[in-house]
């Protein structure tokens, strides 16, 4: 992504004197276009290392997604209400089904292994961190339960179908442990102590 490849400013969302890039992660702050282009270049450089990796880890997070209909791609974070109201129809919410996620997973793994080393392996995990809110119109606890159940089932099914893909049960390690040990006070984020235990077991 750069200006020479047909980059357009409306790929981004204006935010006063800076811009928001909803196609990067939600930790990316508002910034000038030049800074966002630099961030894209950094992300591209990191992903290019996949062709030399021995192990590829993918953590699945949620089944709710927002799509940018103008560019035909999925966002990595929800657009603001201001952006939605400023350009009605551009951003569309989707609560993706198991079948849709399975198609996306197959596309993703096929693409990765077409570039990865012949002996590369993949490990799938599911994030235990719960949804903070939902756009589905349902109670967030119900929406989160369905989302996680869908992804756990998908990850395990994918691993069962491919000998070079494994499933690591970090989700179950958290949700099946003593809540006072496993969670922070908000009951959304995992405690540092259980993260340390899970990472040690993962590396082992």
């Amino acid at each position: 992504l750069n200006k020479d490849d047909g980059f357009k400013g409306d790929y981004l969302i204006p935010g006063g004197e800076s811009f928001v890039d909803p196609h990067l992660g939600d930790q990316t702050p508002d910034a000038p276009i030049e800074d966002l282009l630099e961030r894209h270049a950094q992300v591209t450089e990191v992903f290019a290392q996949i062709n030399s990796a021995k192990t590829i880890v993918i953590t699945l997070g949620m089944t709710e997604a927002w799509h940018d209909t103008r560019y035909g791609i999925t966002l990595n974070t929800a657009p603001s209400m201001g952006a939605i109201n400023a350009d009605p129809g551009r951003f569309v919410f989707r609560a993706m089904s198991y079948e849709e996620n399975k198609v996306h997973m197959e596309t993703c793994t096929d693409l990765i292994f077409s570039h990865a080393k012949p002996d590369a392996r993949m490990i799938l995990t599911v994030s235990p961190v719960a949804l903070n809110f939902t756009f589905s119109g349902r109670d967030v606890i119900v929406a989160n339960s369905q989302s996680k159940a869908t992804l756990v089932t998908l990850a395990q099914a994918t691993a069962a179908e491919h000998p070079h893909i494994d499933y690591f049960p970090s989700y179950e390690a958290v949700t099946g442990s003593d809540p006072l040990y496993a969670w922070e006070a908000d009951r959304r984020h995992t405690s540092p102590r259980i993260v340390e235990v899970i990472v040690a077991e993962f590396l082992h």
Side-chain angles (χ1 to χ4, degrees):
L1 174 66
N2 59 62
K3 293 181 179 178
D4 295 332
D5 292 333
F7 174 84
K8 296 181 179 179
D10 62 355
Y11 178 84
L12 309 174
I13 300 173
E17 296 182 358
S18 59
F19 291 83
V20 177
D21 189 340
H23 308 281
L24 291 174
D26 58 6
Q27 301 301 314
T28 304
D30 300 6
I33 287 180
E34 289 71 21
D35 292 352
L36 294 176
L37 288 174
E38 182 179 356
R39 177 61 173 161
H40 268 283
Q42 293 170 345
V43 171
T44 299
E45 183 179 350
V46 170
F47 272 87
Q49 298 177 34
I50 204 166
N51 59 13
S52 61
K54 293 179 59 178
T55 305
I56 300 148
V57 182
I58 295 181
T59 299
L60 308 179
M62 66 184 73
T63 57
E64 295 191 2
W66 284 85
H67 295 270
D68 186 339
T69 61
R70 178 176 298 167
Y71 292 96
I73 51 182
T74 301
L75 280 60
N76 281 322
T77 185
S80 67
M81 290 306 301
I84 294 173
N85 294 331
D87 196 351
R90 175 178 175 180
F91 303 109
V92 178
F93 170 75
R94 292 278 304 282
M96 294 189 291
S97 67
Y98 175 86
E99 290 74 19
E100 289 176 296
N101 278 284
K102 185 171 178 59
V103 170
H104 291 313
M105 175 62 74
E106 292 173 349
T107 301
C108 178
T109 53
D110 287 348
L111 177 62
I112 288 173
F113 283 110
S114 70
H115 294 278
K117 297 174 64 175
D119 60 343
R121 299 187 64 83
M122 179 179 290
I123 299 174
L124 297 177
T125 69
V126 175
S127 170
V129 178
L131 294 173
N132 191 30
F133 46 80
T134 176
F135 295 94
S136 66
R138 300 178 297 164
D139 184 276
V140 68
I141 296 177
V142 175
N144 180 72
S145 295
Q146 181 177 10
S147 179
K148 299 301 184 181
T150 297
L151 297 179
V152 168
T153 303
L154 174 62
Q156 293 194 36
T158 302
E161 294 170 0
H162 302 280
H164 53 289
I165 300 178
D166 295 305
Y167 175 72
F168 181 74
S170 54
Y171 175 83
E172 291 83 352
V174 174
T175 58
S177 296
D178 182 343
L180 295 177
Y181 180 84
W183 299 101
E184 294 283 84
D186 63 3
R187 287 299 298 268
R188 285 191 62 242
H189 296 93
T190 53
S191 68
R193 52 186 177 272
I194 200 167
V195 170
E196 183 178 352
V197 171
I198 291 172
V199 171
E201 180 63 21
F202 177 81
L203 294 175
H204 175 72

